[in-house]
Amino acid sequence: MTEVTTSQPGGAVDVDDDYEAVRVVGLSKTFKVRSRSSVQHVHAVRDVSFRVTRGSALGIAGESGSGKSTVARMMVGLEVPSDGEIWIGGARLPEPPSTSDRRTHARRIQMVFQDPYSSLDPRQPISAALDEVQRVHFQRSPRERRARTLQLLDAVGLGERYVEALPRALSGGQRQRLVIARSLAAEPAVLVLDEAVSALDVSTQAQILNLLRDLQAEYGLTYIFISHDLAVIRQICDDVLVLYRGELMEHAPAEQLLTRPRHPYTKLLLDSVPRQGMELEKRPERGTLNDAGCLFASRCPHAHDRCSAEPPEFSEPSGGRSRCWLAADAPSTSPLLDHRAAHHKGGPDDDR
Amino acid sequence: MADSAMTQDTRKLTTSTVSTAPPMLEVSDLTTTLLVDGQPQLVVRGMNLSVGAGEIVGLVGESGSGKSITARSIIGLLPRGAEVTGSIRVAGVDRLTMSRRELQRLRAEKIAMIFQDPRAHIDPLWRIEDYIGEGLRVHLGMSNDAARARSRDLLTSLGIVDADRVLRAYPGQLSGGMLQRVMIAGALSCQPDLIIADEATTALDVTVQTDILAILDELRRTQQMSLLFITHDLALASVICDRIVVMYAGRAMLIQDSAGMFRAPAHPYAAALVAARPNPDRRVERLRTVAGRSVSALEAPGGCPFRPRCPYAEPPCAETDVPLQSVGPGVASACIRINDISDQLVESASRDD
């Protein structure tokens, strides 16, 4: 198979930042919500910054309403940021983007959604779906496009016999393979995967996760992997970023964040991953939401007075950052430090 | 006869071991056919399961396995043209011979169901208090005030802080997680003996999911409520279920206690499900996969339906339909090779890669 190139599209790569695939600076998104009497501003994303090294995978985790999908949609240009900058492959996405800006951007970064069926035109055969992307982005003869279509199908493990099939002839896993192939047809450097394996059966999910790893190793792709499932994130991601109500809570290498979380919210997410033999305890009810201090304070078992009064700053002890007064005040004695020990022994939380 | 002895044994196995009274739910040899484009299509084929009082039984399977249709057959919510044979007994009473009226009564008083998508099951034009309170007013004869107070208590017990606001809201004003709690509150309102939860926590955040599992577990302990917990996620089922029934191609492949299924799965399909699930504590070089995809009862080949995907399959697996057979205390498996391969399955389940 000839190589599917992931050459830097659109040029404009800063030589110094060659290793950097994604840079997001101070990204915010505010939605206006009109009720009968007033207009409210809802901060879907607030002041989020991060960088992603070329060829690595960043996981974005958080509950619904955490803003993780909004970050993804802004990155690919489906949503216009209220504030902040998005740089992909050394080029900044202009605001508002023109049609040609969008086209150039689409060659740098592509998105794969959760539900493959609704991302596909039910009347468009597979060959046409892959052909269309190539016609938009490349000057290729029909024969070149056809050859490329076959390469792409092979790369995602779909045989040649599916070339003229319609999406409904494919199983869920095969459809997701097709959607991945289509996103790769634009030869992007960055792939945003928004809950891309969440709707699949367990056995199929494992196949797609292995495929994503193979594609990354072969083409040096950079992934932004959005998922509510930390077990899946563990298998794909080098670094993880945890969002809560639109704000970044913790950002660290995956191994560290998933075994020694510094932020109580990360620990809550980890403790909620279903496992055989886990203890079910009824947690205290969520208090009223607080916007003055730490956004997580009302649900945090470790919260003290300062937490609901003053927003915590990032502390950055060895590798990673965490926005929590607890971690800032006593980084070395944080009771969260060894997640796994806490998990098996019942945890230091029990004596609260 | 060896044959009838085996059936006897199987029946004992699929029946709860917790109490001597008839189980809350007993399904035997259930076969359900749906009408698809005017053609009868086999969806559930010879399904067996039982749920005792205060017991939580998991029904686990991938898409197309027939788990939801099994649930809908039990509660009598099938599309027109569907045909059900076999036996479904609720607290000892035959469900399939019930009149329409008796069935309505059963659904009002004994069984409640929680679905995955609350928006499809809650009338968008009803206020939440009307939805939750309906059963309380109609079946328990409560006044509006009493129904509202009880509804508020239910919502509070499900972790909703501003229950009063939620009661006055319309479904469109609530998030999916909130609406799922509302549907659970509605299901709990008339204190049913049996709840059938079909992917009830699948669309929820993991934190909310754990909260809901804790609530269901408490209801079982305090009120002896029985629960049939349907999910595609074996790990999730293992958290709350006493026993798990693994379904494939419209039939039960394995009935085993939760801990045992993870330690020593007594069927290759269950072993494959255990192995394919990513581990949150460890990054592995390569996730173990199952070749191919899951098939429905209609697509399944003769003999063992898992055979084409099974690494342990041998020619005899194609020859006969294998019924559930007792392979140990409380364990029934539909694998004819289980005695030969059980050591390998234990090894596969404990492997770290």
mmCIF file with all atom_site columns, all heavy atoms in Angstrom, chain B residues 183-205:
data_model
loop_
_atom_site.group_PDB
_atom_site.id
_atom_site.type_symbol
_atom_site.label_atom_id
_atom_site.label_alt_id
_atom_site.label_comp_id
_atom_site.label_asym_id
_atom_site.label_entity_id
_atom_site.label_seq_id
_atom_site.pdbx_PDB_ins_code
_atom_site.Cartn_x
_atom_site.Cartn_y
_atom_site.Cartn_z
_atom_site.occupancy
_atom_site.B_iso_or_equiv
_atom_site.pdbx_formal_charge
_atom_site.auth_seq_id
_atom_site.auth_comp_id
_atom_site.auth_asym_id
_atom_site.auth_atom_id
_atom_site.pdbx_PDB_model_num
ATOM 1   N N   . MET B 1 183 ? -37.794 9.695  35.138 1.00 0.00 ? 183 MET B N   1
ATOM 2   C CA  . MET B 1 183 ? -38.410 8.444  34.698 1.00 0.00 ? 183 MET B CA  1
ATOM 3   C C   . MET B 1 183 ? -38.261 7.366  35.778 1.00 0.00 ? 183 MET B C   1
ATOM 4   O O   . MET B 1 183 ? -39.178 6.582  36.011 1.00 0.00 ? 183 MET B O   1
ATOM 5   C CB  . MET B 1 183 ? -37.796 7.951  33.386 1.00 0.00 ? 183 MET B CB  1
ATOM 6   C CG  . MET B 1 183 ? -38.417 6.655  32.910 1.00 0.00 ? 183 MET B CG  1
ATOM 7   S SD  . MET B 1 183 ? -38.454 6.447  31.129 1.00 0.00 ? 183 MET B SD  1
ATOM 8   C CE  . MET B 1 183 ? -36.754 6.281  30.769 1.00 0.00 ? 183 MET B CE  1
ATOM 9   N N   . ILE B 1 184 ? -37.107 7.350  36.444 1.00 0.00 ? 184 ILE B N   1
ATOM 10  C CA  . ILE B 1 184 ? -36.916 6.384  37.520 1.00 0.00 ? 184 ILE B CA  1
ATOM 11  C C   . ILE B 1 184 ? -37.880 6.680  38.667 1.00 0.00 ? 184 ILE B C   1
ATOM 12  O O   . ILE B 1 184 ? -38.502 5.772  39.224 1.00 0.00 ? 184 ILE B O   1
ATOM 13  C CB  . ILE B 1 184 ? -35.449 6.395  37.992 1.00 0.00 ? 184 ILE B CB  1
ATOM 14  C CG1 . ILE B 1 184 ? -34.554 5.852  36.863 1.00 0.00 ? 184 ILE B CG1 1
ATOM 15  C CG2 . ILE B 1 184 ? -35.276 5.569  39.259 1.00 0.00 ? 184 ILE B CG2 1
ATOM 16  C CD1 . ILE B 1 184 ? -33.083 6.009  37.113 1.00 0.00 ? 184 ILE B CD1 1
ATOM 17  N N   . ALA B 1 185 ? -38.052 7.962  38.984 1.00 0.00 ? 185 ALA B N   1
ATOM 18  C CA  . ALA B 1 185 ? -39.012 8.335  40.027 1.00 0.00 ? 185 ALA B CA  1
ATOM 19  C C   . ALA B 1 185 ? -40.406 7.859  39.652 1.00 0.00 ? 185 ALA B C   1
ATOM 20  O O   . ALA B 1 185 ? -41.143 7.319  40.489 1.00 0.00 ? 185 ALA B O   1
ATOM 21  C CB  . ALA B 1 185 ? -38.996 9.848  40.234 1.00 0.00 ? 185 ALA B CB  1
ATOM 22  N N   . GLY B 1 186 ? -40.781 8.014  38.374 1.00 0.00 ? 186 GLY B N   1
ATOM 23  C CA  . GLY B 1 186 ? -42.083 7.549  37.908 1.00 0.00 ? 186 GLY B CA  1
ATOM 24  C C   . GLY B 1 186 ? -42.215 6.038  38.051 1.00 0.00 ? 186 GLY B C   1
ATOM 25  O O   . GLY B 1 186 ? -43.240 5.525  38.479 1.00 0.00 ? 186 GLY B O   1
ATOM 26  N N   . ALA B 1 187 ? -41.141 5.328  37.726 1.00 0.00 ? 187 ALA B N   1
ATOM 27  C CA  . ALA B 1 187 ? -41.163 3.866  37.823 1.00 0.00 ? 187 ALA B CA  1
ATOM 28  C C   . ALA B 1 187 ? -41.283 3.414  39.276 1.00 0.00 ? 187 ALA B C   1
ATOM 29  O O   . ALA B 1 187 ? -41.937 2.419  39.580 1.00 0.00 ? 187 ALA B O   1
ATOM 30  C CB  . ALA B 1 187 ? -39.900 3.283  37.197 1.00 0.00 ? 187 ALA B CB  1
ATOM 31  N N   . LEU B 1 188 ? -40.654 4.167  40.190 1.00 0.00 ? 188 LEU B N   1
ATOM 32  C CA  . LEU B 1 188 ? -40.670 3.783  41.597 1.00 0.00 ? 188 LEU B CA  1
ATOM 33  C C   . LEU B 1 188 ? -41.960 4.196  42.301 1.00 0.00 ? 188 LEU B C   1
ATOM 34  O O   . LEU B 1 188 ? -42.254 3.710  43.389 1.00 0.00 ? 188 LEU B O   1
ATOM 35  C CB  . LEU B 1 188 ? -39.490 4.437  42.330 1.00 0.00 ? 188 LEU B CB  1
ATOM 36  C CG  . LEU B 1 188 ? -38.081 4.032  41.897 1.00 0.00 ? 188 LEU B CG  1
ATOM 37  C CD1 . LEU B 1 188 ? -37.056 4.859  42.652 1.00 0.00 ? 188 LEU B CD1 1
ATOM 38  C CD2 . LEU B 1 188 ? -37.872 2.545  42.157 1.00 0.00 ? 188 LEU B CD2 1
ATOM 39  N N   . SER B 1 189 ? -42.733 5.104  41.658 1.00 0.00 ? 189 SER B N   1
ATOM 40  C CA  . SER B 1 189 ? -43.822 5.778  42.376 1.00 0.00 ? 189 SER B CA  1
ATOM 41  C C   . SER B 1 189 ? -44.809 4.797  43.002 1.00 0.00 ? 189 SER B C   1
ATOM 42  O O   . SER B 1 189 ? -45.252 4.995  44.123 1.00 0.00 ? 189 SER B O   1
ATOM 43  C CB  . SER B 1 189 ? -44.533 6.753  41.444 1.00 0.00 ? 189 SER B CB  1
ATOM 44  O OG  . SER B 1 189 ? -45.147 6.042  40.390 1.00 0.00 ? 189 SER B OG  1
ATOM 45  N N   . CYS B 1 190 ? -45.177 3.738  42.299 1.00 0.00 ? 190 CYS B N   1
ATOM 46  C CA  . CYS B 1 190 ? -46.179 2.830  42.858 1.00 0.00 ? 190 CYS B CA  1
ATOM 47  C C   . CYS B 1 190 ? -45.541 1.626  43.547 1.00 0.00 ? 190 CYS B C   1
ATOM 48  O O   . CYS B 1 190 ? -46.193 0.603  43.757 1.00 0.00 ? 190 CYS B O   1
ATOM 49  C CB  . CYS B 1 190 ? -47.134 2.364  41.764 1.00 0.00 ? 190 CYS B CB  1
ATOM 50  S SG  . CYS B 1 190 ? -48.152 3.704  41.141 1.00 0.00 ? 190 CYS B SG  1
ATOM 51  N N   . GLN B 1 191 ? -44.282 1.755  43.919 1.00 0.00 ? 191 GLN B N   1
ATOM 52  C CA  . GLN B 1 191 ? -43.551 0.695  44.615 1.00 0.00 ? 191 GLN B CA  1
ATOM 53  C C   . GLN B 1 191 ? -43.735 -0.679 43.992 1.00 0.00 ? 191 GLN B C   1
ATOM 54  O O   . GLN B 1 191 ? -44.299 -1.590 44.608 1.00 0.00 ? 191 GLN B O   1
ATOM 55  C CB  . GLN B 1 191 ? -43.960 0.672  46.080 1.00 0.00 ? 191 GLN B CB  1
ATOM 56  C CG  . GLN B 1 191 ? -43.579 1.965  46.766 1.00 0.00 ? 191 GLN B CG  1
ATOM 57  C CD  . GLN B 1 191 ? -43.904 1.948  48.231 1.00 0.00 ? 191 GLN B CD  1
ATOM 58  O OE1 . GLN B 1 191 ? -45.069 1.797  48.597 1.00 0.00 ? 191 GLN B OE1 1
ATOM 59  N NE2 . GLN B 1 191 ? -42.893 2.081  49.060 1.00 0.00 ? 191 GLN B NE2 1
ATOM 60  N N   . PRO B 1 192 ? -43.262 -0.832 42.751 1.00 0.00 ? 192 PRO B N   1
ATOM 61  C CA  . PRO B 1 192 ? -43.414 -2.116 42.067 1.00 0.00 ? 192 PRO B CA  1
ATOM 62  C C   . PRO B 1 192 ? -42.545 -3.197 42.722 1.00 0.00 ? 192 PRO B C   1
ATOM 63  O O   . PRO B 1 192 ? -41.587 -2.878 43.426 1.00 0.00 ? 192 PRO B O   1
ATOM 64  C CB  . PRO B 1 192 ? -42.904 -1.810 40.658 1.00 0.00 ? 192 PRO B CB  1
ATOM 65  C CG  . PRO B 1 192 ? -41.924 -0.699 40.843 1.00 0.00 ? 192 PRO B CG  1
ATOM 66  C CD  . PRO B 1 192 ? -42.455 0.120  41.973 1.00 0.00 ? 192 PRO B CD  1
ATOM 67  N N   . ASP B 1 193 ? -42.908 -4.461 42.500 1.00 0.00 ? 193 ASP B N   1
ATOM 68  C CA  . ASP B 1 193 ? -42.091 -5.563 43.022 1.00 0.00 ? 193 ASP B CA  1
ATOM 69  C C   . ASP B 1 193 ? -40.900 -5.823 42.114 1.00 0.00 ? 193 ASP B C   1
ATOM 70  O O   . ASP B 1 193 ? -39.875 -6.316 42.553 1.00 0.00 ? 193 ASP B O   1
ATOM 71  C CB  . ASP B 1 193 ? -42.932 -6.842 43.100 1.00 0.00 ? 193 ASP B CB  1
ATOM 72  C CG  . ASP B 1 193 ? -44.121 -6.668 44.014 1.00 0.00 ? 193 ASP B CG  1
ATOM 73  O OD1 . ASP B 1 193 ? -43.935 -6.057 45.083 1.00 0.00 ? 193 ASP B OD1 1
ATOM 74  O OD2 . ASP B 1 193 ? -45.221 -7.099 43.640 1.00 0.00 ? 193 ASP B OD2 1
ATOM 75  N N   . LEU B 1 194 ? -41.095 -5.513 40.829 1.00 0.00 ? 194 LEU B N   1
ATOM 76  C CA  . LEU B 1 194 ? -40.049 -5.800 39.847 1.00 0.00 ? 194 LEU B CA  1
ATOM 77  C C   . LEU B 1 194 ? -39.844 -4.589 38.951 1.00 0.00 ? 194 LEU B C   1
ATOM 78  O O   . LEU B 1 194 ? -40.808 -4.024 38.435 1.00 0.00 ? 194 LEU B O   1
ATOM 79  C CB  . LEU B 1 194 ? -40.467 -7.009 38.988 1.00 0.00 ? 194 LEU B CB  1
ATOM 80  C CG  . LEU B 1 194 ? -39.596 -7.322 37.765 1.00 0.00 ? 194 LEU B CG  1
ATOM 81  C CD1 . LEU B 1 194 ? -38.233 -7.844 38.176 1.00 0.00 ? 194 LEU B CD1 1
ATOM 82  C CD2 . LEU B 1 194 ? -40.300 -8.339 36.859 1.00 0.00 ? 194 LEU B CD2 1
ATOM 83  N N   . ILE B 1 195 ? -38.586 -4.194 38.813 1.00 0.00 ? 195 ILE B N   1
ATOM 84  C CA  . ILE B 1 195 ? -38.269 -3.142 37.847 1.00 0.00 ? 195 ILE B CA  1
ATOM 85  C C   . ILE B 1 195 ? -37.412 -3.742 36.744 1.00 0.00 ? 195 ILE B C   1
ATOM 86  O O   . ILE B 1 195 ? -36.479 -4.494 37.022 1.00 0.00 ? 195 ILE B O   1
ATOM 87  C CB  . ILE B 1 195 ? -37.539 -1.961 38.517 1.00 0.00 ? 195 ILE B CB  1
ATOM 88  C CG1 . ILE B 1 195 ? -38.531 -1.178 39.386 1.00 0.00 ? 195 ILE B CG1 1
ATOM 89  C CG2 . ILE B 1 195 ? -36.925 -1.039 37.471 1.00 0.00 ? 195 ILE B CG2 1
ATOM 90  C CD1 . ILE B 1 195 ? -38.036 0.173  39.816 1.00 0.00 ? 195 ILE B CD1 1
ATOM 91  N N   . ILE B 1 196 ? -37.773 -3.422 35.515 1.00 0.00 ? 196 ILE B N   1
ATOM 92  C CA  . ILE B 1 196 ? -36.937 -3.823 34.380 1.00 0.00 ? 196 ILE B CA  1
ATOM 93  C C   . ILE B 1 196 ? -36.259 -2.553 33.878 1.00 0.00 ? 196 ILE B C   1
ATOM 94  O O   . ILE B 1 196 ? -36.927 -1.615 33.458 1.00 0.00 ? 196 ILE B O   1
ATOM 95  C CB  . ILE B 1 196 ? -37.774 -4.464 33.260 1.00 0.00 ? 196 ILE B CB  1
ATOM 96  C CG1 . ILE B 1 196 ? -38.487 -5.718 33.799 1.00 0.00 ? 196 ILE B CG1 1
ATOM 97  C CG2 . ILE B 1 196 ? -36.888 -4.826 32.073 1.00 0.00 ? 196 ILE B CG2 1
ATOM 98  C CD1 . ILE B 1 196 ? -39.418 -6.373 32.804 1.00 0.00 ? 196 ILE B CD1 1
ATOM 99  N N   . ALA B 1 197 ? -34.952 -2.511 33.990 1.00 0.00 ? 197 ALA B N   1
ATOM 100 C CA  . ALA B 1 197 ? -34.208 -1.324 33.581 1.00 0.00 ? 197 ALA B CA  1
ATOM 101 C C   . ALA B 1 197 ? -33.450 -1.660 32.308 1.00 0.00 ? 197 ALA B C   1
ATOM 102 O O   . ALA B 1 197 ? -32.545 -2.484 32.321 1.00 0.00 ? 197 ALA B O   1
ATOM 103 C CB  . ALA B 1 197 ? -33.247 -0.901 34.680 1.00 0.00 ? 197 ALA B CB  1
ATOM 104 N N   . ASP B 1 198 ? -33.847 -1.040 31.194 1.00 0.00 ? 198 ASP B N   1
ATOM 105 C CA  . ASP B 1 198 ? -33.227 -1.344 29.898 1.00 0.00 ? 198 ASP B CA  1
ATOM 106 C C   . ASP B 1 198 ? -32.241 -0.244 29.525 1.00 0.00 ? 198 ASP B C   1
ATOM 107 O O   . ASP B 1 198 ? -32.649 0.825  29.086 1.00 0.00 ? 198 ASP B O   1
ATOM 108 C CB  . ASP B 1 198 ? -34.313 -1.495 28.831 1.00 0.00 ? 198 ASP B CB  1
ATOM 109 C CG  . ASP B 1 198 ? -33.741 -2.015 27.502 1.00 0.00 ? 198 ASP B CG  1
ATOM 110 O OD1 . ASP B 1 198 ? -32.527 -2.258 27.424 1.00 0.00 ? 198 ASP B OD1 1
ATOM 111 O OD2 . ASP B 1 198 ? -34.529 -2.172 26.549 1.00 0.00 ? 198 ASP B OD2 1
ATOM 112 N N   . GLU B 1 199 ? -30.956 -0.492 29.706 1.00 0.00 ? 199 GLU B N   1
ATOM 113 C CA  . GLU B 1 199 ? -29.899 0.500  29.441 1.00 0.00 ? 199 GLU B CA  1
ATOM 114 C C   . GLU B 1 199 ? -30.229 1.817  30.148 1.00 0.00 ? 199 GLU B C   1
ATOM 115 O O   . GLU B 1 199 ? -30.024 2.900  29.608 1.00 0.00 ? 199 GLU B O   1
ATOM 116 C CB  . GLU B 1 199 ? -29.730 0.744  27.932 1.00 0.00 ? 199 GLU B CB  1
ATOM 117 C CG  . GLU B 1 199 ? -29.335 -0.483 27.121 1.00 0.00 ? 199 GLU B CG  1
ATOM 118 C CD  . GLU B 1 199 ? -27.846 -0.820 27.183 1.00 0.00 ? 199 GLU B CD  1
ATOM 119 O OE1 . GLU B 1 199 ? -27.105 -0.166 27.944 1.00 0.00 ? 199 GLU B OE1 1
ATOM 120 O OE2 . GLU B 1 199 ? -27.427 -1.768 26.478 1.00 0.00 ? 199 GLU B OE2 1
ATOM 121 N N   . ALA B 1 200 ? -30.733 1.701  31.372 1.00 0.00 ? 200 ALA B N   1
ATOM 122 C CA  . ALA B 1 200 ? -31.276 2.865  32.059 1.00 0.00 ? 200 ALA B CA  1
ATOM 123 C C   . ALA B 1 200 ? -30.221 3.901  32.424 1.00 0.00 ? 200 ALA B C   1
ATOM 124 O O   . ALA B 1 200 ? -30.534 5.063  32.633 1.00 0.00 ? 200 ALA B O   1
ATOM 125 C CB  . ALA B 1 200 ? -32.019 2.416  33.324 1.00 0.00 ? 200 ALA B CB  1
ATOM 126 N N   . THR B 1 201 ? -28.955 3.504  32.521 1.00 0.00 ? 201 THR B N   1
ATOM 127 C CA  . THR B 1 201 ? -27.930 4.475  32.911 1.00 0.00 ? 201 THR B CA  1
ATOM 128 C C   . THR B 1 201 ? -26.939 4.738  31.779 1.00 0.00 ? 201 THR B C   1
ATOM 129 O O   . THR B 1 201 ? -25.980 5.476  31.954 1.00 0.00 ? 201 THR B O   1
ATOM 130 C CB  . THR B 1 201 ? -27.138 3.981  34.141 1.00 0.00 ? 201 THR B CB  1
ATOM 131 O OG1 . THR B 1 201 ? -26.426 2.793  33.785 1.00 0.00 ? 201 THR B OG1 1
ATOM 132 C CG2 . THR B 1 201 ? -28.038 3.686  35.309 1.00 0.00 ? 201 THR B CG2 1
ATOM 133 N N   . THR B 1 202 ? -27.199 4.136  30.619 1.00 0.00 ? 202 THR B N   1
ATOM 134 C CA  . THR B 1 202 ? -26.225 4.215  29.524 1.00 0.00 ? 202 THR B CA  1
ATOM 135 C C   . THR B 1 202 ? -25.959 5.643  29.060 1.00 0.00 ? 202 THR B C   1
ATOM 136 O O   . THR B 1 202 ? -24.832 6.005  28.732 1.00 0.00 ? 202 THR B O   1
ATOM 137 C CB  . THR B 1 202 ? -26.723 3.372  28.334 1.00 0.00 ? 202 THR B CB  1
ATOM 138 O OG1 . THR B 1 202 ? -26.957 2.049  28.811 1.00 0.00 ? 202 THR B OG1 1
ATOM 139 C CG2 . THR B 1 202 ? -25.708 3.314  27.222 1.00 0.00 ? 202 THR B CG2 1
ATOM 140 N N   . ALA B 1 203 ? -27.008 6.466  29.031 1.00 0.00 ? 203 ALA B N   1
ATOM 141 C CA  . ALA B 1 203 ? -26.839 7.812  28.492 1.00 0.00 ? 203 ALA B CA  1
ATOM 142 C C   . ALA B 1 203 ? -26.401 8.809  29.573 1.00 0.00 ? 203 ALA B C   1
ATOM 143 O O   . ALA B 1 203 ? -26.252 9.986  29.303 1.00 0.00 ? 203 ALA B O   1
ATOM 144 C CB  . ALA B 1 203 ? -28.144 8.271  27.846 1.00 0.00 ? 203 ALA B CB  1
ATOM 145 N N   . LEU B 1 204 ? -26.210 8.333  30.788 1.00 0.00 ? 204 LEU B N   1
ATOM 146 C CA  . LEU B 1 204 ? -25.901 9.250  31.895 1.00 0.00 ? 204 LEU B CA  1
ATOM 147 C C   . LEU B 1 204 ? -24.400 9.379  32.125 1.00 0.00 ? 204 LEU B C   1
ATOM 148 O O   . LEU B 1 204 ? -23.622 8.511  31.751 1.00 0.00 ? 204 LEU B O   1
ATOM 149 C CB  . LEU B 1 204 ? -26.552 8.738  33.184 1.00 0.00 ? 204 LEU B CB  1
ATOM 150 C CG  . LEU B 1 204 ? -28.066 8.539  33.137 1.00 0.00 ? 204 LEU B CG  1
ATOM 151 C CD1 . LEU B 1 204 ? -28.546 7.954  34.452 1.00 0.00 ? 204 LEU B CD1 1
ATOM 152 C CD2 . LEU B 1 204 ? -28.767 9.852  32.858 1.00 0.00 ? 204 LEU B CD2 1
ATOM 153 N N   . ASP B 1 205 ? -24.010 10.461 32.782 1.00 0.00 ? 205 ASP B N   1
ATOM 154 C CA  . ASP B 1 205 ? -22.616 10.614 33.188 1.00 0.00 ? 205 ASP B CA  1
ATOM 155 C C   . ASP B 1 205 ? -22.240 9.501  34.156 1.00 0.00 ? 205 ASP B C   1
ATOM 156 O O   . ASP B 1 205 ? -23.082 9.039  34.929 1.00 0.00 ? 205 ASP B O   1
ATOM 157 C CB  . ASP B 1 205 ? -22.434 11.953 33.904 1.00 0.00 ? 205 ASP B CB  1
ATOM 158 C CG  . ASP B 1 205 ? -22.394 13.103 32.919 1.00 0.00 ? 205 ASP B CG  1
ATOM 159 O OD1 . ASP B 1 205 ? -21.814 12.924 31.846 1.00 0.00 ? 205 ASP B OD1 1
ATOM 160 O OD2 . ASP B 1 205 ? -22.946 14.163 33.237 1.00 0.00 ? 205 ASP B OD2 1
#
